[in-house]
Amino acid sequence: MEALEFHLNHFDGPMDLLMHLLEKNRIDVYDIPINELTDQYLMYLEEAKRMNLEIASHFVLFAAQLVRIKVRMLLPKRKQEEAEEDPRKELVDQIVAYKFFKELSHDLEEIQSTCAHYHARQVDLSRLREKYQRAQVPKDLPVEALLKAFQVLEAYSQEKAQVMVIEKNSFSIEVLREKLLDFCQASSRPTFQGVLRQCLSVDEMITFFLALLECIRQNEITVEQDALFDDIRLHPQAV
């Protein structure tokens, strides 16, 4: 293990100091070299004593626990004791629990810090009670009125239950190309705007535009426009 460096950091307790030693020396929690770890822990207490620092009693009690585990590890085992659990198990359980709750407290601090940037809107409950008063049950209501209300509700529910099926029209560029050529032959002054006026949907307009591009590519139609947004005049070409 590395030599202990004393920066006199403030540790919240003996477990905080122990976690510092474990992380500093990259020690596997489940395989702790208890001899070296106990020696470094006692070195910290001795250094604190040498600098006239007050050592809290729980630091000393924890040092006694480490020494007890160290002694148990050094003592030769009797045959009937060979099946006993590892003396370090209790310490490992403490470390795992401490690490879990320390990480949890860190997460809670981050949540609290994030929530500090938000301010909850104040709600006037009295105004809400006035606005949303409990509905009063009507008294002495004639049966005819109830029947009429039920009929209206029933008609509305039947209307909502009806399902409307909208069929999507599919347009073929080839089919609309033929229609476009026929339109140019039949009209004296064919324009593309005139073609679009006959369309019933945006999909049909887009497909007619793609059909026009195909006709231009195949030199079946030439187009002419005098100015931006003017009518696009169509001139069919002789094949």
Side-chain angles (χ1 to χ4, degrees), residues 180-195 221-222 224 231-236:
L180 187 59
L181 293 173
D182 293 342
F183 176 80
C184 291
Q185 295 294 336
S187 179
S188 59
R189 296 187 61 186
T191 64
F192 190 60
Q193 282 77 353
V195 176
I221 294 177
T222 59
E224 185 180 3
D231 281 355
I232 300 175
R233 294 191 294 275
L234 308 178
H235 302 286

Side-chain angles (χ1 to χ4, degrees), residues 7-221:
H7 298 290
L8 299 180
N9 295 329
H10 174 71
F11 297 105
D12 294 331
M15 288 299 300
D16 200 26
L17 170 58
L18 186 67
M19 291 299 300
H20 168 72
L21 296 176
L22 293 174
E23 293 171 2
K24 173 182 172 60
N25 296 282
R26 299 178 181 178
I27 295 175
D28 182 4
V29 175
Y30 297 98
D31 188 21
I32 297 176
I34 194 66
N35 294 342
E36 292 83 352
L37 185 64
T38 303
D39 292 344
Q40 286 213 2
Y41 187 92
L42 294 175
M43 284 174 58
Y44 177 84
L45 298 186
E46 287 295 329
E47 180 67 12
K49 185 187 298 183
R50 188 181 64 82
M51 301 187 70
N52 297 322
L53 296 178
E54 184 178 354
I55 302 175
S57 59
H58 50 282
F59 279 91
V60 179
L61 289 175
F62 194 79
Q65 179 183 351
L66 291 176
V67 172
R68 179 174 58 83
I69 297 174
K70 177 180 178 180
V71 171
R72 289 184 60 189
M73 294 288 293
L74 293 176
L75 289 175
K77 294 183 180 180
R78 300 177 183 178
K79 291 184 179 181
Q80 60 270 24
E81 295 178 349
E82 291 180 357
E84 291 185 0
E85 64 179 10
D86 192 326
R88 299 170 295 180
K89 184 180 182 305
E90 181 181 353
L91 178 62
V92 171
D93 293 340
Q94 287 180 273
I95 294 172
V96 172
Y98 179 83
K99 185 176 181 181
F100 171 77
F101 285 107
K102 187 170 184 179
E103 291 176 353
L104 181 61
S105 65
H106 178 70
D107 294 339
L108 293 175
E109 287 177 358
E110 288 186 349
I111 295 174
Q112 182 184 16
S113 177
T114 302
C115 293
H117 297 284
Y118 296 89
H119 180 71
R121 184 177 63 181
Q122 300 297 323
V123 179
D124 190 346
L125 296 180
S126 60
R127 294 186 61 184
L128 288 178
R129 294 190 189 99
E130 294 176 1
K131 185 176 180 180
Y132 301 100
Q133 294 182 0
R134 180 176 297 180
Q136 299 295 327
V137 179
K139 297 181 180 179
D140 302 327
L141 194 65
V143 178
E144 293 78 8
L146 291 174
L147 180 60
K148 186 176 181 180
F150 177 77
Q151 290 173 347
V152 172
L153 180 61
E154 184 181 22
Y156 175 76
S157 62
Q158 290 178 355
E159 181 182 350
K160 294 287 287 185
Q162 294 178 357
V163 178
M164 180 181 295
V165 179
I166 301 176
E167 296 182 359
K168 181 179 180 181
N169 295 323
S170 58
F171 301 97
S172 167
I173 295 178
E174 186 61 30
V175 172
L176 296 190
R177 171 177 158 272
E178 295 294 335
K179 288 186 177 182
L180 187 59
L181 293 173
D182 293 342
F183 176 80
C184 291
Q185 295 294 336
S187 179
S188 59
R189 296 187 61 186
T191 64
F192 190 60
Q193 282 77 353
V195 176
L196 297 182
R197 292 190 191 99
Q198 303 176 18
C199 297
L200 300 178
S201 67
V202 176
D203 290 343
E204 188 176 6
M205 292 180 182
I206 294 174
T207 312
F208 257 123
F209 178 71
L210 297 176
L212 175 60
L213 295 180
E214 181 64 19
C215 290
I216 296 173
R217 188 183 71 82
Q218 296 187 19
N219 295 322
E220 295 173 332
I221 294 177

